[in-house]
Amino acid sequence: MRQLRWFVAVMLLVGTLVGLLLFVTDNDSPVRVDLPLLPAFYQPVWLALLAAFFTGAFVASAGLLFQLAKKSLAARRTEKRVKSLEAELEKLRAASAAIAVGDGAPPIRIAP
């Protein structure tokens, strides 16, 4: 079973490399790339597409990392608030238990 997984992984890698090689050889004609703030230049189509792919992946990853940081900060704040509320609850439970035992504290009376 392990050899089969190894064989499948190698075949996938070889297939990917062959596909990449065919893509590069079929798309080697130059294309004009005109970016803002940069002079126009010519690059092979495969390189322009590869650059666009990685630029998009970088921008998407940066956005996801920003959202992750924002959510983790919110979670940290919420966790801190929960801990303070749990401490307050324990203090109130201890006070309630002390009153129930009758340690000399006057009972709480509610006026009608």
Side-chain angles (χ1 to χ4, degrees):
M1 188 64 164
R2 187 175 228 176
Q3 292 176 347
L4 178 63
R5 271 192 260 156
W6 179 255
F7 179 74
V8 169
V10 168
M11 287 295 113
L12 284 174
L13 181 66
V14 168
T16 302
L17 290 176
V18 167
L20 185 63
L21 183 64
L22 290 173
F23 177 76
V24 168
T25 56
D26 287 345
N27 295 298
D28 61 350
S29 59
V31 65
R32 182 174 186 225
V33 179
D34 192 8
L35 299 172
L37 303 175
L38 291 175
F41 56 94
Y42 289 91
Q43 289 293 327
V45 173
W46 69 268
L47 188 59
L49 288 173
L50 190 66
F53 174 78
F54 281 114
T55 301
F58 174 76
V59 169
S61 297
L64 288 174
L65 285 175
F66 177 73
Q67 289 297 325
L68 179 66
K70 202 162 84 170
K71 298 289 183 191
S72 66
L73 284 174
R76 189 176 302 150
R77 271 188 244 117
T78 303
E79 186 177 327
K80 192 175 182 182
R81 178 73 176 139
V82 165
K83 282 183 182 180
S84 71
L85 289 173
E86 285 176 347
E88 183 180 350
L89 178 64
E90 288 300 319
K91 187 174 19 171
L92 289 172
R93 282 183 181 160
S96 174
I99 291 173
V101 169
D103 62 350
I108 299 174
R109 300 194 184 215
I110 301 175

